[in-house]
Amino acid sequence: DSGVTQTPKHLITATGQRVTLRCSPRSGDLSVYWYQQSLDQGLQFLIHYYNGEERAKGNILERFSAQQFPDLHSELNLSSLELGDSALYFCASSRGAGGLFYNEQFFGPGTRLTVL
Amino acid sequence: EDQVTQSPEALRLQEGESSSLNCSYTVSGLRGLFWYRQDPGKGPEFLFTLYSAGEEKEKERLKATLTKKESFLHITAPKPEDSATYLCAVQGRGGSQGNLIFGKGTKLSVKP
């Protein structure tokens, strides 16, 4: 158990819909990262928050957005869903901001999203 | 562009048959190289961080080493419970700092 929690574990929805994925980081960690894992692409970085502020964006679609709240939990919002958005979504947390130290990222169990 | 290539894609070993997994990388200033283990349908489990060429780390039957261009994960006398996908990732100084660039992994199967 990494100490990172994600809900829900599974999500089945229809094209065009909107969903919210939730992540609680390990105690003491200030950074939250979101990744998407599909069979053909592997793990792809989406977005990074540190202590409530957005730090970096990766290959995140405009239909996707995220935020980190004052209690440090984070939510990833996916809208206008398409079949190709079906994937495993992981969040990870670390103590540091992505600088020289405390960069180990600990991953949650993931949310499996299926878009029908 | 930061890039990670892992080989082989899949590796089948007999129990007790030692081997190595390779991770080749190109990155604009390495902050760290990370090894993870991932079981099917689960989140990646952190194994090691390596920061500089020549560094080595060990954990049970696993030993990770780092050079300026690649990293190896050596598995000594593997057991069936070592079967998993092993992921390598790098964190660079440029671009989007903090995030990890992952390889596609090596799927290891250890038969009794």
Side-chain angles (χ1 to χ4, degrees), chain A residues 33 35 37 40-43 45 48 55-58 88 90 97-110 112, chain B residues 31-32 34 36 38 40-46 48-49 51 57 87 91-93 95-104:
Chain A
Y33 303 81
Y35 293 86
Q37 187 175 41
D40 56 342
Q41 293 291 327
L43 269 164
F45 167 68
H48 169 206
R55 291 296 295 253
K57 275 187 174 180
L88 271 167
F90 290 104
L100 290 175
F101 305 107
Y102 305 117
N103 290 329
E104 288 80 5
Q105 294 183 23
F106 296 88
F107 283 74
R112 181 176 294 279
Chain B
R31 282 194 189 279
F34 304 83
Y36 287 84
Q38 186 175 26
K42 303 284 182 67
E45 175 190 346
F46 171 75
F48 303 109
T49 310
Y51 291 104
K57 287 196 177 170
L87 299 169
Q91 188 175 54
R93 299 178 190 275
S96 299
Q97 294 183 7
N99 62 286
L100 300 178
I101 307 297
F102 279 88
K104 295 197 172 182

Side-chain angles (χ1 to χ4, degrees), chain B residues 4 14 16 33 38 41 50 53 58 67 79 85 90 94 96 101 108:
Chain B
V4 176
Q14 288 295 127
L33 184 141
Q38 186 175 26
L50 300 167
E58 285 188 71
T67 72
K79 299 182 177 182
T85 295
V90 296
S96 299
I101 307 297
L108 175 65

Side-chain angles (χ1 to χ4, degrees), chain B:
Chain B
E1 182 182 338
D2 298 347
Q3 195 169 346
V4 176
T5 304
Q6 291 189 247
S7 62
E9 289 185 13
L11 182 61
R12 302 176 87 174
L13 299 174
Q14 288 295 127
E15 184 173 2
E17 179 186 3
S18 302
S19 188
S20 296
L21 282 55
N22 178 263
C23 170
S24 297
Y25 64 91
T26 54
V27 64
S28 54
L30 181 70
R31 282 194 189 279
L33 184 141
F34 304 83
W35 282 98
Y36 287 84
R37 169 195 170 124
Q38 186 175 26
D39 293 301
K42 303 284 182 67
E45 175 190 346
F46 171 75
L47 294 174
F48 303 109
T49 310
L50 300 167
Y51 291 104
S52 57
E55 190 174 358
E56 299 182 351
K57 287 196 177 170
E58 285 188 71
K59 179 181 179 180
E60 297 180 357
R61 295 177 293 281
L62 301 176
K63 178 180 177 180
T65 62
L66 181 64
T67 72
K68 287 186 177 180
K69 293 183 178 180
E70 57 191 351
S71 177
F72 293 93
L73 185 65
H74 308 277
I75 304 177
T76 302
K79 299 182 177 182
E81 54 261 42
D82 295 322
S83 297
T85 295
Y86 290 85
L87 299 169
C88 171
V90 296
Q91 188 175 54
R93 299 178 190 275
S96 299
Q97 294 183 7
N99 62 286
L100 300 178
I101 307 297
F102 279 88
K104 295 197 172 182
T106 294
K107 185 175 182 179
L108 175 65
S109 299
V110 182
K111 302 300 181 185

Side-chain angles (χ1 to χ4, degrees), chain A residues 16-28:
Chain A
Q17 295 298 304
R18 172 190 170 94
V19 297
T20 297
L21 283 53
R22 182 188 170 105
C23 168
S24 292
R26 293 188 320 158
S27 176

